[in-house]
Amino acid sequence: MSRLRSVPSDPVDRTHLPVDEWRLVESRPGGDLGHLETLFTTANGYLGMRGTPSEGRDVESHGTFLNGFHETWSINHAESAFGFARTGQTMISVPDSSVMKLYVDDEPLLLSIADLPEYERWIDFREGVLHRELIWRTPSGKRVKVATSRMVSFTQRHLALMTLQVTMLDGAAPVAVSSQIINRQDIADDYGKGVDGGPVTEKDDPRRTTDFTHRVLEPQQDWHSERRMLLGYRVATSGMTLAVGADHTIESDVEVEQLVDTSADRGRQVVRADLGEGNTLTVRKAVAYHSSRSVPHRELFDRCRRTLDRVRADGFAPQYQDQRDYLADFWERSDVEVPGRPVEQQATRWCLFQLAQAAARSDQWGIPAKGVTGSGYEGHYFWDTEVYVVPFLTFTEPRWARNALRFRSNLLPKARERARELNQRGALFPWRTINGDEASAYYAAGTAQYHINADVAYAFSQYVDVTGDVDFQHRDGVRVLVETARMWADLGFWRRTADGDASFHINGVTGPDEYTTVVNNNMFTNVMARHNLRRAARAVRELRDADDAAYETLRGDLGLDELELEQWEACADGMFVAKDDSLGIHLQEDRFLEREVWDLSSTPPEAFPLLLNFHPLVIYRFQVLKQADVVLALFLRGSEFTAEEKRADFEYYDPITTGDSSLSAVVQSIMAAEVGHQKAALDYFRDGLFVDLGNLHGNTADGAHIASAGGVWNALVHGFGGMRQDEGHLSFDPRLPADWPELRFPLTVRGSRFRVRVLREEISFTLESGSEIDVTVRGVRVRVTTAGTSVPLVDQGPLLDDSVLASPVGLGDRRADGSIMTSYVPQDPEDPWQYPVATDPDDIIEAG
């Protein structure tokens, strides 16, 4: 049984972060600063500003990020080889414009030591603005009310707005506000604080970013006037360019003095006023960020000016209203309602809000694993996007999904280059990247994950099935499908048995489970490749039938021979998927059962995640999973497996899955619900739901887990809602948790939006816009109309005993070669938690 199953129903400190179904609220300052900085990040998919205080301290990790804005560096392998990744890419922190330092009687406001009779910080998910209000009793005993706000605009993706309002509640005092832009990537601020971390020569945790030893942002120009400041930079090695500009508007009922200056790495506007009791000083700050792969900074200056000029002309109020309107539309399309469950409701909405902050305006770029909330994973894009995030976008915000897929199609030329480098036809997408180059220095758990090709193809296929956007399929999708299918047909090979049967095999790959690497016939890879091959052949034929001219252009551009389509279908039909008849399970890879089983129940909590405590070679010798692999295939391609196969596979692999990856719990929840382990399904759902709010993996300070947030939607809709999609047809088989009164969510399919309501005794559908559509509920076809349609439910599916998940299946059984399957933990005599090594085989079997 996965070690994460012990997570409480609510792991959040509610005295600090109280429950509010539409807001994340902080009732007092302090706590884990890095964790809170991530939770209160404001972002739009292009621009992200971590939830650091306006004063600029106390802070664990500053960070303002632009999606795709990165530095490149040479990967120095101790022992290099042909085809190893050569160019690292790291998202860097752009100049920090969030700083608005406050001084009263020349004393700085510093939350960690300030006397604060009242304090609240919050972000309302319907508003998209980070607020903070407090009353500060200064060292001289004067009471000052301080209200701040910060908004990163969804409608104008280059724009951020900030306000600071100071009101003297009693007494009089000189007040100063120092509003700044600071290049923290290369310099420290007044308190010696720059960007936390960045590429270092060595990292203890491969999930964290890397530090540079050279100057990254090379100043190009700084400029200022009475109301505006501009700073321009060029990234040292990547050559990307950046401009940041800020305007200030000051309001007060007393006379105000203003000073402004800029230098290469800092811009500063200082506002001074003598406030009497009841007087107020308000500073409004509009900031624009523009970046480019190569455009000179002077042009970016002009773009900043145009963005700021619009705000100067219109004011702040219309921007706030646009933000509310934008989010109102988002929630209408995306909100998942869990009535009567306020804890789950708040956490669900926080996760969905993170998806908006990661994807809404990521125009022309991908969706990083951490969004733009932190520097974790160096700002890279992974296969997580296509499998965990794009499905949410496809069913709720199709335009955002199209943007994400369009980014992948733009990487196709570099994917072709990478395939050539690895001696393959077609294209091979990088496992992790920003600019399209493979950035994984560890090929066994990186480049070997060829399944990314099939994951991308899956997302393209699902998008066209659900949206009906055949124009996108014919212009972009078909090319991706063709080139990925070519790679599979070339990578695999045919093997014929003595009795004449032939099967298609794929060797030397790594599946989603990074604890089992470079293997033959990884089940997930083969199943997803089979789907990729079939959909590629189908897409080409559909284009041929729909648009002969476009088809001929495709053939000419790609050198496509129609015989290739027959080859792809033959490879798919002959795809080898190994199964062990004695256990009735699909093998994760050919030799998986030859390994001994890692005894997770005897492994202490401090030994997790295994990747930070054991050499990879130790882990690779065992049956132990970082994340769902076979089980993920059962979900994504569920129509290809029987209910009996799904149950057998889940019950075998679940007890040996560590959950060391944040991607795992949500998938385990979905499949646990389907096969009938409904308590486990709810436990796993909570594991995924609170990954960040509860900091369950201990690294939320590095940024939010965006794929896990997408997985929360998947677990709600696919797991508890029981929705499946197969070639555009939707079916439902709900699994509502026993103590949940109902579940409601909207779906958009081929332009029609309808709302699903799951109760214990029925499921209903109501069309809200678009044409009527058909779905099925447990095999019964249902027409979705504006009048609404309800289908009675006899039950919420099977209920199985979770005790079978407590220990691995088959321990003590004989394998086909006569050996006994055993379970233990790798020994380390230096660690006191290790138990004595058993030397007698009978003792080992008994221990197993």
Side-chain angles (χ1 to χ4, degrees):
M1 202 175 204
S2 170
R3 67 185 178 93
L4 291 180
R5 200 67 56 75
S6 60
V7 172
S9 60
D10 184 3
V12 178
D13 178 1
R14 293 305 179 180
T15 65
H16 190 195
L17 302 175
V19 175
D20 186 309
E21 293 189 1
W22 276 109
R23 301 189 306 159
L24 180 66
V25 182
E26 182 184 39
S27 63
R28 64 175 187 273
D32 183 338
L33 295 180
H35 179 213
L36 294 167
E37 288 157 16
T38 293
L39 297 187
F40 285 97
T41 293
T42 49
N44 61 16
Y46 168 72
L47 167 63
M49 309 179 82
R50 284 176 62 78
T52 53
S54 299
E55 300 76 42
R57 59 173 184 157
D58 287 326
V59 170
E60 178 176 316
S61 178
H62 289 287
T64 301
F65 302 102
L66 302 183
N67 190 354
F69 193 76
H70 68 281
E71 175 65 304
T72 55
W73 44 283
S74 296
I75 299 175
N76 297 314
H77 300 275
E79 296 183 21
S80 189
F82 180 82
F84 277 18
R86 296 183 297 274
T87 305
Q89 304 129 54
T90 298
M91 181 174 70
I92 56 179
S93 184
V94 299
D96 176 10
S97 62
S98 68
V99 178
M100 300 176 77
K101 300 178 182 178
L102 172 64
Y103 302 84
V104 177
D105 280 332
D106 295 329
E107 299 289 345
L109 172 61
L110 183 58
L111 298 184
S112 60
I113 60 173
D115 181 0
L116 303 175
E118 297 181 20
Y119 175 95
E120 185 173 84
R121 179 168 63 151
W122 74 93
I123 185 164
D124 190 315
F125 311 135
R126 298 162 296 187
E127 184 185 28
V129 181
L130 176 63
H131 293 275
R132 189 191 67 186
E133 291 185 358
L134 59 86
I135 293 179
W136 173 30
R137 191 184 303 276
T138 69
S140 62
K142 299 168 185 175
R143 292 186 310 126
V144 184
K145 181 179 180 180
V146 182
T148 63
S149 71
R150 182 182 304 161
M151 183 188 88
V152 174
S153 174
F154 283 107
T155 57
Q156 298 194 54
R157 70 172 187 154
H158 301 281
L159 176 68
L161 302 179
M162 286 153 270
T163 64
L164 170 65
Q165 186 176 77
V166 184
T167 303
M168 294 299 300
L169 298 181
D170 53 47
V175 173
V177 176
S178 178
S179 177
Q180 302 184 20
I181 302 174
I182 307 171
N183 171 20
R184 298 186 188 277
Q185 182 66 52
D186 296 293
I187 68 165
D189 64 12
D190 296 339
Y191 310 108
K193 191 74 173 178
V195 174
D196 181 66
V200 289
T201 306
E202 295 184 8
K203 295 181 293 180
D204 293 330
D205 187 342
R207 300 167 298 182
R208 303 199 69 185
T209 193
T210 44
D211 258 339
F212 294 102
T213 56
H214 65 274
R215 184 181 180 100
V216 176
L217 292 176
E218 298 177 341
Q220 303 295 296
Q221 185 181 358
D222 63 271
W223 174 93
H224 67 271
S225 65
E226 290 183 358
R227 293 182 58 181
R228 180 170 294 174
M229 60 181 76
L230 291 163
L231 303 176
Y233 298 90
R234 179 185 180 278
V235 183
T237 307
S238 73
M240 298 192 76
T241 51
L242 165 74
V244 54
D247 272 5
H248 290 81
T249 303
I250 313 301
E251 297 177 6
S252 183
D253 39 15
V254 301
E255 186 177 348
V256 174
E257 178 187 10
Q258 299 184 54
L259 303 170
V260 60
D261 68 88
T262 57
S263 59
D265 290 306
R266 190 192 302 264
R268 180 177 1 219
Q269 179 138 351
V270 178
V271 180
R272 300 173 181 169
D274 292 322
L275 297 187
E277 186 171 322
N279 290 151
T280 296
L281 171 67
T282 302
V283 180
R284 291 188 173 88
K285 182 179 187 180
V287 181
Y289 288 89
H290 283 268
S291 62
S292 172
R293 294 176 176 87
S294 59
V295 168
H297 78 278
R298 292 180 299 278
E299 179 176 331
L300 299 182
F301 270 20
D302 290 340
R303 297 181 189 179
C304 285
R305 289 186 176 107
R306 290 194 291 270
T307 300
L308 296 174
D309 286 347
R310 286 194 297 272
V311 178
R312 182 179 292 183
D314 299 337
F316 278 33
Q319 317 303 328
Y320 292 136
Q321 185 60 52
D322 287 348
Q323 187 89 335
R324 287 190 291 270
D325 292 345
Y326 192 97
L327 286 170
D329 180 72
F330 168 75
W331 288 115
E332 185 178 27
R333 294 172 172 272
S334 309
D335 190 22
V336 179
E337 298 173 87
V338 192
R341 308 293 303 181
V343 170
E344 288 86 350
Q345 186 67 81
Q346 180 196 40
T348 294
R349 285 181 173 142
W350 184 88
C351 288
L352 298 181
F353 185 63
Q354 297 314 303
L355 293 171
Q357 293 203 132
R361 300 309 308 274
S362 62
D363 318 3
Q364 303 179 50
W365 289 103
I367 301 172
K370 299 288 189 180
V372 279
T373 66
S375 61
Y377 291 112
E378 306 192 78
H380 290 170
Y381 318 123
F382 294 79
W383 65 281
D384 314 4
T385 298
E386 281 74 18
V387 172
Y388 292 84
V389 179
V390 170
F392 161 75
L393 304 179
T394 297
F395 280 102
T396 61
E397 297 283 355
R399 181 170 52 87
W400 300 0
R402 182 179 173 129
N403 281 341
L405 297 175
R406 179 83 178 124
F407 168 75
R408 276 295 183 191
S409 67
N410 288 337
L411 294 186
L412 196 54
K414 286 205 170 184
R416 291 189 184 106
E417 293 176 10
R418 185 59 174 162
R420 298 296 87 73
E421 197 169 30
L422 271 69
N423 298 88
Q424 305 297 158
R425 294 190 68 217
L428 176 60
F429 285 99
W431 182 66
R432 62 185 298 173
T433 191
I434 296 178
N435 63 11
D437 292 330
E438 177 62 78
S440 174
Y442 186 52
Y443 74 89
T447 299
Q449 293 199 47
Y450 286 74
H451 67 84
I452 188 172
N453 264 23
D455 306 331
V456 170
Y458 172 84
F460 273 84
S461 300
Q462 184 187 65
Y463 171 79
V464 73
D465 286 346
V466 173
T467 66
D469 188 355
V470 293
D471 174 68
F472 179 75
Q473 171 85 329
H474 292 168
R475 288 193 302 107
D476 292 279
V478 67
R479 293 173 182 266
V480 170
L481 291 171
V482 165
E483 296 290 44
T484 50
R486 280 176 162 171
M487 193 281 296
W488 294 120
D490 188 49
L491 178 65
F493 65 97
W494 289 92
R495 176 173 292 165
R496 190 174 298 278
T497 62
D499 57 10
D501 294 334
S503 55
F504 190 74
H505 297 246
I506 300 175
N507 286 358
V509 299
T510 299
D513 170 33
E514 296 163 21
Y515 287 173
T516 312
T517 66
V518 193
V519 298
N520 297 341
N521 294 311
N522 168 254
M523 186 267 205
F524 177 88
T525 301
N526 286 19
V527 167
M528 295 299 289
R530 179 168 63 192
H531 177 253
N532 188 168
L533 290 159
R534 287 173 173 158
R535 288 305 296 254
R538 171 177 156 181
V540 172
R541 292 195 178 103
E542 288 176 344
L543 177 62
R544 181 190 61 193
D545 296 341
D547 190 335
D548 186 65
Y551 170 68
E552 291 302 327
T553 299
L554 177 75
R555 288 190 63 190
D557 290 349
L558 302 187
L560 181 65
D561 189 322
E562 285 225 8
L563 291 176
E564 288 188 73
L565 279 61
E566 297 179 14
Q567 179 195 24
W568 301 339
E569 290 174 326
C571 294
D573 293 342
M575 188 67 70
F576 179 74
V577 178
K579 192 171 182 180
D580 182 82
D581 292 332
S582 62
L583 293 172
I585 65 168
H586 293 95
L587 299 185
Q588 183 167 311
E589 49 89 12
D590 282 355
R591 306 184 66 177
F592 189 77
L593 293 184
E594 295 180 16
R595 298 176 172 87
E596 302 310 313
V597 177
W598 192 300
D599 186 355
L600 292 181
S601 64
S602 298
T603 306
E606 61 267 24
F608 296 97
L610 302 186
L611 65 97
L612 298 185
N613 293 283
F614 295 89
H615 192 284
L617 288 176
V618 175
I619 298 172
Y620 297 164
R621 296 186 186 112
F622 286 83
Q623 291 185 49
V624 63
L625 280 62
K626 182 182 180 186
Q627 64 204 73
D629 194 298
V630 169
V631 171
L632 179 58
L634 300 179
F635 165 52
L636 297 182
R637 300 301 308 146
S639 62
E640 299 178 15
F641 305 96
T642 67
E644 294 75 20
E645 288 175 324
K646 292 176 183 178
R647 177 180 174 181
D649 284 343
F650 181 82
E651 291 182 348
Y652 185 86
Y653 288 103
D654 182 79
I656 56 175
T657 302
T658 63
D660 283 349
S661 169
S662 63
L663 301 179
S664 193
V666 287
V667 175
Q668 290 169 276
S669 175
I670 293 168
M671 291 311 301
E674 179 176 344
V675 303
H677 288 290
Q678 296 198 29
K679 182 181 182 302
L682 186 57
D683 290 338
Y684 276 128
F685 171 70
R686 291 191 180 110
D687 293 344
L689 184 65
F690 292 108
V691 159
D692 287 316
L693 282 178
N695 196 19
L696 300 186
H697 286 247
N699 64 347
T700 297
D702 297 332
H705 295 79
I706 300 302
S708 182
V712 167
W713 180 88
N714 281 278
L716 286 163
V717 172
H718 294 296
F720 302 143
M723 188 270 280
R724 295 292 186 274
Q725 183 276 141
D726 191 20
E727 298 191 352
H729 176 72
L730 267 62
S731 60
F732 293 84
D733 186 6
R735 300 287 192 271
L736 188 68
D739 54 353
W740 287 20
E742 65 178 291
L743 173 68
R744 298 194 296 261
F745 54 89
L747 296 171
T748 299
V749 179
R750 293 183 293 281
S752 296
R753 187 177 75 240
F754 63 97
R755 196 161 301 272
V756 183
R757 184 185 186 204
V758 181
L759 301 171
R760 300 210 64 77
E761 65 278 3
E762 69 174 23
I763 182 172
S764 62
F765 308 91
T766 304
L767 183 67
E768 296 181 340
S769 64
S771 303
E772 296 180 356
I773 65 170
D774 289 336
V775 301
T776 60
V777 178
R778 296 179 177 171
V780 178
R781 185 169 295 276
V782 177
R783 172 58 60 95
V784 179
T785 69
T786 54
T789 306
S790 297
V791 179
L793 298 174
V794 175
D795 54 37
Q796 292 294 322
L799 287 171
L800 300 177
D801 184 357
D802 286 355
S803 64
V804 299
L805 306 178
S807 61
V809 174
L811 289 181
D813 290 350
R814 291 189 181 275
R815 301 185 181 91
D817 63 2
S819 62
I820 304 296
M821 191 178 299
T822 61
S823 171
Y824 63 99
V825 180
Q827 303 300 303
D828 183 353
E830 300 297 323
D831 285 351
W833 55 263
Q834 295 283 6
Y835 52 79
V837 179
T839 56
D840 187 300
D842 290 334
D843 293 338
I844 296 176
I845 296 171
E846 183 67 28

